Amino acid sequence: MLLEVDNLRVCYDSFEAIKGISFALEEGDLITLLGANGAGKSTVLKTISGLVTPASGQILLEGERLNGFPPHIIAAKGIAHVPEGRRIFPYMTVYENLKMGGYTQRSKAQFNKDLGGVHELFPRLRERAKQQAGTLSGGEQQMLAIGRALMSNPKVILMDEPSIGLSPLMIEALSEAIMKLHRGGRSIILVEQNSKVALSLANRCYVMELGNVVLEGSARDIATDDRIKEAYLGG
């Protein structure tokens, strides 16, 4: 198993945000975490990437426990996080943002290979290489956030709400890019409010409610079950 989350609990002071959830990601899989705002989806991603410290449970990457490592070490071990809101460096150029994403790379050949892959996936980033990142459109900034994550050649990519605030055309373009990554063998955990998009991309789905996983199964089964759609996916 590539990534395992086992009986994970996360607390903010006395509030238990994640209540002992477990799930797994196999190599080459794309799984999605669905649920309403406040279900704990983003907290799960932040805990995997080391931004939040779990109260108990464990996170294993290829059998190695990640708990206790700081975010930069977890990133170096192969976890890349595309955060909600993009969090690009607005006063740096597009190229400088991508270069920051590749800071763990010690091989110039690998860096150039990863950069070429990002440019192939998002040609617009090559065109905008010298442009200040903060002047990009929302969709272009999301491309940059994903591209920056890819520059570390990660084993697992965590994507938090990549479609939020984007036009339908840009959502379609980003969905196609995510599908290309998946077909190319990338392992992805996707948090996405747009359940239709998420279920069209994922292999498996975990539905969260108030810090618990209340339902899991194949994305196809969950997408076509009327009772599930009514209860958890807004009908």
Side-chain angles (χ1 to χ4, degrees):
M1 193 63 64
L2 178 60
L3 182 76
E4 297 174 81
V5 174
D6 182 33
N7 199 27
L8 185 69
R9 292 180 59 250
V10 178
C11 298
Y12 295 118
D13 295 325
S14 60
F15 173 68
E16 189 176 27
I18 305 297
K19 304 173 181 178
I21 71 168
S22 300
F23 64 88
L25 175 72
E26 295 185 11
E27 188 170 353
D29 264 1
L30 195 166
I31 67 172
T32 185
L33 307 181
L34 294 183
N37 287 334
K41 308 180 300 297
S42 294
T43 296
V44 171
L45 298 193
K46 290 176 183 177
T47 307
I48 293 172
S49 64
L51 296 172
V52 172
T53 301
S56 62
Q58 60 181 358
I59 302 164
L60 303 174
L61 179 66
E62 296 181 321
E64 180 184 3
R65 185 181 171 99
L66 295 182
N67 303 51
F69 286 111
H72 70 282
I73 297 297
I74 292 175
K77 289 180 180 293
I79 303 289
H81 193 162
V82 183
E84 182 179 0
R86 300 148 198 157
R87 304 294 180 91
I88 60 166
F89 302 106
Y91 300 111
M92 297 170 67
T93 66
V94 168
Y95 173 74
E96 288 168 340
N97 270 265
L98 294 176
K99 190 175 180 180
M100 287 294 292
Y103 82 96
T104 59
Q105 297 288 11
R106 300 192 177 185
S107 163
K108 186 173 182 180
Q110 184 64 52
F111 175 89
N112 289 334
K113 180 180 178 181
D114 293 334
L115 182 62
V118 169
H119 286 163
E120 183 178 351
L121 184 66
F122 298 123
R124 205 169 302 181
L125 297 183
R126 180 192 286 114
E127 298 167 6
R128 307 269 197 274
K130 297 181 179 180
Q131 186 170 329
Q132 196 174 65
T135 64
L136 299 176
S137 70
E140 290 168 342
Q141 289 185 18
Q142 189 63 67
M143 292 176 186
L144 181 56
I146 294 173
R148 182 179 59 187
L150 291 171
M151 287 299 297
S152 64
N153 192 26
K155 297 173 182 176
V156 177
I157 306 172
L158 312 176
M159 294 191 184
D160 196 352
E161 303 285 8
S163 77
I164 193 166
L166 302 183
S167 69
L169 282 176
M170 186 55 71
I171 291 173
E172 183 178 354
L174 282 173
S175 296
E176 290 176 1
I178 293 170
M179 183 55 71
K180 284 181 182 177
L181 291 173
H182 180 210
R183 288 173 179 161
R186 294 288 186 178
S187 306
I188 301 169
I189 301 178
L190 174 65
V191 164
E192 180 55 71
Q193 280 287 85
N194 189 325
S195 59
K196 183 177 179 180
V197 168
L199 291 170
S200 71
L201 295 171
N203 300 119
R204 290 190 60 77
C205 174
Y206 295 84
V207 179
M208 294 187 63
E209 186 177 282
L210 299 177
N212 292 296
V213 170
V214 294
L215 185 69
E216 64 179 272
S218 75
R220 177 176 295 181
D221 289 344
I222 288 177
T224 56
D225 189 312
D226 290 337
R227 295 169 300 170
I228 293 170
K229 288 193 288 185
E230 184 66 30
Y232 299 110
L233 307 179

